Every structure is written in structure tokens, then in C-alpha cells.
Amino acid sequence: MADLKIYNSLTRKKDVFTPITPGHLGMYVCGPTVYSDVHLGNCRTFISFDIIYRYFLYLGYKVRYVRNITDAGHLEGDRDEGDDKFSKKARLEQLEPMEIVQKYTLGFHKVMELFNNLPPTIEPTATGHISEQIEMVKHILKNGYAYEVDGTVYFDVEKYNKEKPYGILTNRKLEELLEGTRELGGQDEKKGRLDFALWIKAKPEHLMQWPSPWGMGFPGWHIECSAMSGKYLGTQFDIHGGGMDLAATHHTNEIAQSEACYNVSPARYWIHTNMLTVNGARMSKSAGNGFLPGELFTGDHPLLEKAYSPMTVRFFMLQTHYRSTLDFSNEALQAAEKGLKRLWEAYQNLKQLSSQQLPDTPADAALDVRVRELVKGFDDSMNDDFNTAKVLANMFELTPVINSLRGGQIPPGSISRSTFAFLNKQFTVYLKDVFGLREDSAGDNGRLEGVLQLLIQIRKEARAKRDFVTSDKIRNELNEQGIILKDEKDGNVSWSFG
RNA sequence: GGUCCUGUGGCCGAGUGGCUAGGCAGAGCUCUGCAAAAGCUCGUACAGCGGUUCGAAUCCGCUCGGGACCUCCA
């Protein structure tokens, strides 16, 4: 099999992927902090990794895909003081912190399902792994890379940096980082400005706190990923992923923690997905320019001209490489909607063709070769750092061939039986299994189909009698209901939702 | 200020040193009772200026523009 190349943030180039254990993949992706609704930018990351997960499954790997739910700690701003996000939100909504967690976790899962993302194989929560996190902090303390001040434990970045480069993931030297850091007022307890908390002392009024060797407190905001990835994937595993915004702090600190604890770099390949932007600026919770998936599906947002379905959005994202920023606009979304429709209808035409008899030797050898090359290109493109956009381009090049085969513009038998089988299999597998696209309006199609066939039959009879008043009435009124009838060359009539 | 990424035809977007990306929109044609759909044809783009090269949108330098990170964020 051809090599799979992955752009590795650690080496800043495309590396050939070699698993630690042949045939197995361990992948950790930073999940959401469930104190509010996920917005579309978050979804992009999870969709990107869903495609990566699906591609490894397609390649036959046994994958352990761990994606955490952050439901503890995390202060508002890294000031090591004040409220954590859950307590704040809990007070705001007058709920228990765990009710907040439950509410937004359920919402998150619902959205993931709408986008047809496969669930990870393990989805651990931070609150469920407090003892593992405490153990890890103890270990780091014992190894001398952390210190305790009045119930709070800090990671000693400068000491660590003397032995191992701290900023390797983003290619920065400690001195440069120090220059960029502001003086933190009233933060005397930290020895170094870059030091970050592993464990934080809780004030009595804190809603979420746990006992520890250093008193009542809660975990710092990087340790959970280190503890849980270590627990479920081992101290070193294949792939660690997350949004690009996490690289500079969160992932940098994860590497430092794992090195300080186990003396090993946690992941061999780091994959970072790029941001979703709106009018050129990054979509983020704090900027307030975030779209919620629900607003998108209903079209209920000032910037949206209409509603867009989850599959349109998924397809829209697939048209751009995961490491490029993706700008969100009505025009782009509408183009995606139409493009997906075209692709989907080609797929349906392909299914219609499946029963045809084909020769062993193609009548049109050049076409036969071209089809094979395009289909083969699916794997080649994915092997080049998951180039989904290129795969789609190939699919679109195959679309007129499929449609012509169906419509008769290309005579049957032009391609061989084996080529057709290859096309049929790969087109289907890629569309559904690798890209995870599915029919949007799956619903009451069973009965609707029957009714439509009746109307199509009546219209056909009217047309045979040249009663175009009746035939046009049927077509036009169905059109108003959002159903489009299409007369095909051979006299067949197909329909689709407008 | 520091570390990076990026600038492609009307819009969105892939991309390899030399061969048509693709989608959407637009124009023409074929088919059709008409329409829609489908099929065919059409744009010769790569921020600017230099350099390397037989040859660069693709490599290097500079200039200009956009963005991310350095502070919670996928």
C-alpha cells in the first residue's frame, strides 16, 4: 500500500505515517469544554478528525480514538484565581455545575450526530479522572519539575527548559516567549512567568473541588489531557490532534507534562486543524461571532440568508483542506449545497446502473483508463495529508461520466465490468464511509415515493394524450411543494427535492 | 514587538518546477411539447518587483495586503 503522509506540527513537514503497533492506531483529540453550546468552529475540528478517523478505519486500522469531555476546572483567564467556567455558568443559569455539564454534553452529542460524526471509542471526562490527574501531578513533583505554593502546584517551565526545549511545538525559544508575556499583577507565588498550574487551591465557596495531597482544589487546565491520554493510549501514542489555537499553550504544556512525568514525548504525530473564520476573522466564543449549529439549520441568524443542512456544512468543510482557514459565507455555502446535490444525484445514478450487463473489454479504452485513474486518485489524495478537496474534484470529474452512462450520452459497455465495479465501490465507500455523507432528507420517503409514482404515472398518461395543461399542473404544483420532476431521455421520470 | 501562516480567474477553493484542478455563478449549443435536469463547449487566473532556472503560480529575496498565535477559545 502507498504511504500515508501526514503534516506533523512537531516536525513542520509531511511525515510518512508509521504506527507504533502495526495495524493499530492510538489517537487523542482535545474535546470540548462543556460549559456552553459548541459553535461551528468547534464542529469543524471534530468533523476534520472524524474524517481522519474514518480514513484510518477504511485503511483497516484498529483504532482507539479518545476524545475527552472537559467538565472541570478551567479558570476564566489563566489568572489562577476567580471562578471556574462551570461555577460561573452554574450561577448564571441557577443550576448545579454538573447540570451544566450534562446539558451541554448532551447538546454536543446531538450536534455531532447531526453532522454524522462517529463517536470516539472512548470519551473520558476530566471529573472522572481526578485521581489519575493527582497521581500525575505527584509524579511531576517527585521528578522535580513542579513546586507547591500554599495548596497550588505549579509547573517549573524554566527548569524544564534547561533540559528539554519547551516551545518545540510552535518553534519558539523560551526567551522569546518570556518577552511576549506580560507581567502578571499580584502573581508573586509563581517563580517564573511562564509557569502554569497543575493543581489549583480552591476557595471555600468553589462549587467544584476535590481533596488532594495539597488540600482541597481542582486540576489545572492541561493536566487532564495528559492524564487521560496516558491512561487509555499509553505514555506514547500515535496521533494527538486539536485545533491550531491549542498548539501554543495547551499542547505545549501537555508535552512538557508528559516529558516531566514519563520522560517521553506523548505523541509522535501532532495534527492541528485550522480555524473557521467569518468575514476573515476567527470564529470564537469570546468574539461573539460564532454560529451555533442550530442557527445554521434553521437559518435563524442575521448573517444567514437561508437555512443550510448539516450535510451541506459537512460537504462545505470537505472542500477545503483541514489546514487552511475556511471562511464562512452565504455564497460559499450555497455553492456547496448545489455541489453536494449534484454529487448525490450522480451517486443515485450510479446505483441505477449497477444492474447493467457490462463487457470484460471496454468499448472505449481511453475512457476506461481515465475512470480508473480518477478513482484510484481517491486514495492517493487522502494519502497526501488527507486531501479531501482533491478527492471531491475527482468525484466531480467522474460525475458527468456517470450521468452520461445513465442518460445514454455515453453508450453502455464503454467501460468494462471491472472498472465499473471499482468505480461503484469506491464512489460509494468514499461518499458514505470515508466522508460520512448521508442523505439529508431521510424521513417519510417510503410513502412519499408511492404517492409521487402515482402522480408521475398520471402525468405520463396526460402527456401521452398531449394534455399538457394537466401535465404541467402536476409538475408546477409539485414544484411549489419543493419537489422537482425531471423528464429523462428514455421517458423515465425522476424527482428530487429542490 | 516576537513566532508563523497566507494572497490563485466574478465568488469559493486544490495544486505539482514544464502537461485542463474542481465547485458555484455566467454565455452558447444538444436533448425536450415547454421547462427543469442532464450532456457538450467557453474564461488561459495565480498580489507587485527582482533573482535562480532551458522553463516558476509552484524555489529564493524584497515590497504591499490579509490572518493566526504570544491572554480563555476547536
Side-chain angles (χ1 to χ4, degrees):
Chain A
M1 190 202 293
D3 287 334
L4 167 60
K5 282 185 282 183
I6 299 179
Y7 183 86
N8 188 352
S9 307
L10 211 49
T11 56
R12 280 176 295 283
K13 60 183 174 58
K14 285 182 195 171
D15 291 335
V16 172
F17 177 76
T18 333
I20 293 170
T21 310
H24 291 253
L25 174 77
M27 177 163 83
Y28 188 92
V29 173
C30 291
T33 305
V34 285
Y35 69 97
S36 64
D37 291 309
V38 285
H39 66 242
L40 221 57
N42 302 307
C43 293
R44 185 188 181 196
T45 295
F46 302 129
I47 289 171
S48 295
F49 283 106
D50 186 56
I51 303 297
I52 290 171
Y53 174 43
R54 285 166 176 274
Y55 188 61
F56 275 104
L57 292 177
Y58 163 81
L59 290 178
Y61 280 83
K62 174 122 175 54
V63 184
R64 181 173 288 178
Y65 173 23
V66 182
R67 187 182 64 206
N68 65 300
I69 294 276
T70 295
D71 60 350
H74 292 209
L75 298 171
E76 288 282 327
D78 187 27
R79 294 291 177 273
D80 304 348
E81 59 182 23
D83 269 340
D84 70 71
K85 290 170 180 169
F86 297 96
S87 301
K88 188 176 175 188
K89 189 78 179 199
R91 219 158 284 151
L92 215 60
E93 297 195 13
Q94 296 194 310
L95 293 169
E96 269 293 317
M98 269 301 166
E99 287 182 297
I100 297 292
V101 166
Q102 177 74 358
K103 177 180 169 185
Y104 292 111
T105 300
L106 289 174
F108 172 63
H109 286 154
K110 179 87 192 298
V111 168
M112 290 298 101
E113 158 56 25
L114 280 170
F115 281 121
N116 203 22
N117 280 349
L118 297 172
T121 54
I122 300 178
E123 192 166 47
T125 62
T127 55
H129 298 77
I130 298 293
S131 62
E132 285 86 348
Q133 295 177 68
I134 289 173
E135 282 309 306
M136 195 159 177
V137 176
K138 279 160 72 176
H139 210 122
I140 295 172
L141 269 169
K142 199 179 84 194
N143 289 353
Y145 293 98
Y147 55 93
E148 186 210 335
V149 183
D150 186 30
T152 294
V153 182
Y154 293 100
F155 189 92
D156 190 335
V157 171
E158 287 185 51
K159 172 166 187 202
Y160 173 81
N161 191 250
K162 289 199 176 96
E163 290 154 43
K164 289 174 178 168
Y166 173 70
I168 43 167
L169 197 56
T170 47
N171 194 25
R172 265 178 279 191
K173 296 193 175 65
L174 195 68
E175 305 79 66
E176 295 166 355
L177 285 166
L178 281 167
E179 276 173 32
T181 316
R182 295 173 212 156
E183 207 56 76
L184 298 175
Q187 288 295 295
D188 305 322
E189 38 176 58
K190 280 197 216 175
K191 289 203 302 201
R193 276 198 273 167
L194 290 171
D195 294 355
F196 56 92
L198 296 171
W199 184 264
I200 299 162
K201 181 185 184 175
K203 289 180 184 147
E205 65 270 23
H206 248 97
L207 294 172
M208 295 179 102
Q209 50 177 293
W210 293 266
S212 79
W214 317 283
M216 293 302 286
F218 53 93
W221 49 283
H222 312 296
I223 196 75
E224 65 174 273
C225 288
S226 297
M228 296 191 290
S229 63
K231 172 161 182 168
Y232 296 112
L233 297 170
T235 52
Q236 190 179 52
F237 49 95
D238 297 301
I239 293 176
H240 191 128
M244 264 180 193
D245 51 341
L246 297 179
T249 44
H250 185 57
H251 293 157
T252 293
N253 290 342
E254 270 188 63
I255 291 174
Q257 287 169 345
S258 288
E259 288 275 10
C261 187
Y262 308 120
N263 198 29
V264 63
S265 193
R268 308 212 309 169
Y269 301 86
W270 285 84
I271 300 178
H272 288 102
T273 57
N274 215 136
M275 300 293 105
L276 185 67
T277 60
V278 182
N279 296 325
R282 174 184 164 189
M283 183 181 287
S284 77
K285 289 183 186 178
S286 46
N289 63 348
F291 282 85
L292 299 181
E295 293 170 334
L296 197 72
F297 305 151
T298 59
D300 186 17
H301 187 108
L303 289 174
L304 292 174
E305 286 167 13
K306 64 187 282 290
Y308 300 97
S309 75
M311 286 305 114
T312 295
V313 177
R314 189 174 174 101
F315 177 82
F316 170 63
M317 291 178 177
L318 285 168
Q319 280 187 302
T320 307
H321 189 88
Y322 73 88
R323 276 190 295 110
S324 302
T325 54
L326 174 58
D327 198 57
F328 197 81
S329 70
N330 280 287
E331 295 95 313
L333 237 21
Q334 274 163 30
E337 188 174 57
K338 288 182 184 165
L340 174 60
K341 186 163 177 277
R342 180 169 157 80
L343 203 58
W344 200 262
E345 286 177 8
Y347 164 72
Q348 286 169 331
N349 284 337
L350 192 61
K351 294 295 114 180
Q352 300 274 337
L353 286 167
S354 303
S355 56
Q356 69 182 348
Q357 296 294 314
L358 289 171
D360 290 333
T361 311
D364 186 340
L367 179 68
D368 195 78
V369 169
R370 193 168 146 254
V371 168
R372 278 197 167 273
E373 301 265 295
L374 285 168
V375 174
K376 192 176 156 297
F378 295 178
D379 285 357
D380 296 338
S381 300
M382 285 301 279
N383 284 336
D384 184 15
D385 198 28
F386 312 105
N387 194 338
T388 55
K390 188 67 173 63
V391 176
L392 286 176
N394 281 20
M395 287 181 142
F396 276 114
E397 289 205 56
L398 288 163
T399 293
V401 176
I402 294 167
N403 290 346
S404 295
L405 245 20
R406 177 84 207 291
Q409 292 93 336
I410 294 178
S414 294
I415 61 172
S416 72
R417 188 190 310 148
S418 63
T419 298
F420 180 80
F422 184 46
L423 165 67
N424 189 209
K425 174 162 174 281
Q426 290 304 87
F427 204 92
T428 306
V429 165
Y430 261 85
L431 201 66
K432 296 189 155 182
D433 299 340
V434 179
F435 288 170
L437 293 167
R438 64 182 170 198
E439 225 162 342
D440 256 324
S441 42
D444 56 324
N445 281 10
R447 278 187 199 179
L448 187 60
E449 183 64 40
V451 173
L452 279 167
Q453 285 310 323
L454 177 64
L455 285 167
I456 287 168
Q457 189 54 42
I458 292 170
R459 177 164 169 272
K460 203 178 269 180
E461 287 162 14
R463 288 179 74 206
K465 288 184 284 186
R466 301 191 69 80
D467 175 8
F468 297 125
V469 175
T470 304
S471 72
D472 285 356
K473 180 173 180 175
I474 291 172
R475 187 176 67 196
N476 294 340
E477 301 217 348
L478 280 174
N479 207 332
E480 278 176 32
Q481 300 297 317
I483 289 166
I484 295 167
L485 295 187
K486 290 178 275 195
D487 294 327
E488 294 175 4
K489 280 199 145 196
D490 52 10
N492 281 334
V493 180
S494 63
W495 64 273
S496 69
F497 289 112

